Amino acid sequence: MSAVEIIAEIEKLPKDERLAVIHFVDAQLRAEEDRRDNEAADAALAESGDNIPWDAAKKRLGWA
């Protein structure tokens, strides 16, 4: 089933059920984003090397 078909089926639901699905999907997306962020943070913390000041990090990234 394609995303377009899934969205069409969700749109057919009564308002309360549709909102419940939307809230469920939102919660799942947020949980996955948190999982990925935590995984990236754990990997960064596991790297060796000295901590550098935020201003220096921004310069290295070309943000300052």
Side-chain angles (χ1 to χ4, degrees), residues 2-54:
S2 73
V4 172
E5 292 170 321
I6 292 169
I7 291 168
E9 290 299 315
I10 292 170
E11 288 174 342
K12 292 177 188 176
L13 294 172
K15 182 180 179 182
D16 290 344
E17 290 181 33
R18 189 171 58 246
L19 288 175
V21 169
I22 291 168
H23 290 299
F24 172 79
V25 171
D26 181 58
Q28 295 300 306
L29 287 171
R30 287 175 189 267
E32 178 61 14
E33 288 172 350
D34 288 345
R35 186 194 66 76
R36 289 182 184 194
D37 288 346
N38 289 333
E39 186 177 276
D42 289 343
L45 290 170
E47 290 180 7
S48 61
D50 295 329
N51 289 326
I52 60 171
W54 179 234

Side-chain angles (χ1 to χ4, degrees), residues 51-64:
N51 289 326
I52 60 171
W54 179 234
D55 288 336
K58 289 190 293 188
K59 285 180 184 175
R60 283 188 189 178
L61 293 169
W63 295 356

